[in-house]
Amino acid sequence: MRRILITGGAGFIGSNFARLLLQRKCEAICIVDLLTYAGHRATLADLLEDSRVRFDHGDIADRDFVRRVVTEFRPDWIVNFAAESHVDRSIDSPSDFVRTNVQGTFELLEASRSYWQNLGTEAAEQFRYLQISTDEVFGSLGPEGLFSEDTAYQPNSPYSASKAAGDHFRRAYWKTFGLPTLGTNCSNNYGPFQYPEKLIPLVLLSALAGRPIPVYGTGENVRDWIHVEDHNQAVLTVLERASPGSSYNVGGESELTNLEIIGKLCTELERRRPASANDSMRAVSKKDYVDLIEFVVDRPGHDERYAIDNRKIREDLSWQPSWTVDKGLEQTVGWVLENLDWCREVGPDLGERLGLSSLAEVAT
């Protein structure tokens, strides 16, 4: 029975983590979120029906707000999911990423340190701060190799640079102050409640609307895909079992090129919602969802390949992914089709392309 503070809890991964905790009979959850473009009250609707869940609307970079919430709620664990997370948006507006992912992490660590230092001995020993991060901090792999916990940081986008800074602050607070911090670096997540600008929901919603499915460059960039439930099980396992100061890579062991995952999505969508029965497809004279694929200008600095080495978390904590990518995509496609109202309510303009500002500046 724990009291857990979740920042970014109105977003994709954080809200799913809250649902997992409620299944595990936790004592209380405090969700903190600024409700920017990717965090929505609609995502919290089912969670706020539970009396154990409290919601505080605010910015983790706001020192007074963060310290007040931590002091009032008195968490056993703090899990920082809050982040600006879309690479294309970081190209257009890097300062937003510095504020949330760097300044916000710093303020949360400072609030955690002040709170932890005033706990009794037993509570202080049980307290944990977990920083949720990404494999993108390690840069880009070639055709071979895997990211391990010892891989050098080589971020290639403003997003990954800001997440790397948060990771370094998390480690420094353990080494300098003894704050019992933990870190995880995960691969690409997918599953229910994912914000529709991300690849998988974007492909599905574009296809259903008979719109072009944009593929950056050649579509051969490789990502390791993990179902959000597997990721969150790993997060909970790290909180429950890992030694303070440690960090773990979390991957789904499912490497696919962008073209391969788009192909799988189109196949599953065809099975559930045939193109021949889709008025939007008939309107654009397309007989198959894959016919909507349109190759577009590549993202600036697009990393070639990410792949996670899971050995440490497997061996130390006995965690491993349980979802195959095919079963996970089948479930995700079904969820999107059953929750189109949610997708429309929270989603952006599917025709908007972000992340090209640097190319335009070079051209001029």
Side-chain angles (χ1 to χ4, degrees):
M1 299 291 286
R2 302 281 184 178
R3 300 176 62 82
I4 303 101
L5 191 155
I6 303 172
T7 67
F12 166 43
I13 306 176
S15 67
N16 277 292
F17 185 63
R19 293 181 183 91
L20 172 63
L21 292 175
L22 292 176
Q23 293 171 8
R24 296 296 184 89
K25 310 298 184 185
C26 68
E27 179 182 336
I29 295 171
C30 177
I31 291 175
V32 170
D33 205 292
L34 187 55
L35 298 179
T36 56
Y37 66 93
H40 290 266
R41 291 187 184 276
T43 307
L44 294 173
D46 61 311
L47 293 168
L48 295 180
E49 293 175 356
D50 194 302
S51 61
R52 292 171 291 171
V53 179
R54 153 182 172 170
F55 174 63
D56 285 82
H57 180 205
D59 185 352
I60 63 167
D62 180 336
R63 178 171 300 178
D64 292 339
F65 167 75
V66 170
R67 294 196 176 209
R68 175 182 62 78
V69 171
V70 171
T71 301
E72 287 180 1
F73 183 66
R74 300 193 62 78
D76 299 304
W77 298 336
I78 295 176
V79 188
N80 185 21
F81 288 98
E84 294 280 348
S85 66
H86 192 43
V87 175
D88 288 357
R89 287 182 182 270
S90 79
I91 295 169
D92 288 346
S93 185
S95 62
D96 294 340
F97 288 71
V98 173
R99 177 171 176 80
T100 299
N101 301 354
V102 184
Q103 184 69 26
T105 297
F106 165 73
E107 295 296 352
L108 197 57
L109 284 164
E110 276 288 274
S112 298
R113 179 166 72 102
S114 176
Y115 167 71
W116 168 72
Q117 288 175 333
N118 288 289
L119 291 173
T121 301
E122 184 177 353
E125 290 177 352
Q126 296 298 317
F127 179 79
R128 296 291 185 270
Y129 172 101
L130 173 54
Q131 180 74 10
I132 305 297
S133 190
T134 171
D135 57 358
E136 295 190 38
V137 299
F138 302 123
S140 182
L141 290 166
E144 304 294 332
L146 301 169
F147 294 136
S148 75
E149 288 78 5
D150 296 324
T151 300
Y153 276 44
Q154 292 184 313
N156 290 323
S157 70
Y159 162 62
S160 56
S162 67
K163 290 299 291 182
D167 288 0
H168 293 321
F169 270 105
R170 191 278 309 166
R171 184 179 188 277
Y173 270 63
W174 160 245
K175 288 292 186 178
T176 302
F177 304 113
L179 182 69
T181 68
L182 299 161
T184 57
N185 295 81
C186 69
S187 59
N188 283 43
N189 279 230
Y190 68 95
F193 294 101
Q194 187 166 31
Y195 187 61
E197 73 183 354
K198 298 292 188 174
L199 178 63
I200 288 176
L202 177 62
V203 168
L204 295 173
L205 295 172
S206 295
L208 287 169
R211 295 189 181 189
I213 297 172
V215 177
Y216 292 2
T218 64
E220 295 300 322
N221 301 75
V222 175
R223 299 294 181 261
D224 175 14
W225 293 92
I226 184 169
H227 193 282
V228 67
E229 289 184 9
D230 275 339
H231 178 203
N232 281 328
Q233 288 285 356
V235 168
L236 185 56
T237 299
V238 169
L239 284 163
E240 291 175 335
R241 303 180 191 173
S243 300
S246 58
S247 65
Y248 289 90
N249 284 354
V250 181
E253 300 173 3
S254 299
E255 286 187 58
L256 293 170
T257 67
N258 288 341
L259 276 178
E260 286 173 332
I261 200 160
I262 290 169
K264 287 179 178 290
L265 291 169
C266 289
T267 298
E268 181 61 22
L269 193 58
E270 179 66 27
R271 186 177 74 83
R272 291 173 175 264
R273 188 75 55 89
S276 61
N278 184 334
D279 291 340
S280 296
M281 290 292 286
R282 287 198 293 269
V284 294
S285 301
K286 300 291 186 181
K287 295 183 178 180
D288 196 306
Y289 290 116
V290 295
D291 295 335
L292 295 170
I293 290 175
E294 181 178 286
F295 292 91
V296 298
V297 175
D298 204 356
R299 168 189 290 161
H302 198 175
D303 289 336
E304 178 183 347
R305 175 174 168 261
Y306 306 144
I308 288 283
D309 182 345
N310 274 341
R311 278 180 294 178
K312 182 180 177 183
I313 194 169
R314 278 178 174 271
E315 294 173 2
D316 288 3
L317 308 181
S318 300
W319 173 91
Q320 62 183 14
S322 61
W323 284 87
T324 66
V325 70
D326 288 334
K327 284 294 184 183
L329 293 178
E330 179 182 330
Q331 183 247 24
T332 301
V333 172
W335 186 90
V336 168
L337 290 173
E338 292 168 6
N339 291 273
L340 290 173
D341 288 343
W342 178 88
C343 295
R344 295 187 187 102
E345 181 176 351
V346 308
D349 177 2
L350 293 179
E352 181 183 15
R353 173 73 194 275
L354 303 171
L356 294 179
S357 60
S358 63
L359 294 180
E361 290 165 6
V362 170
T364 57

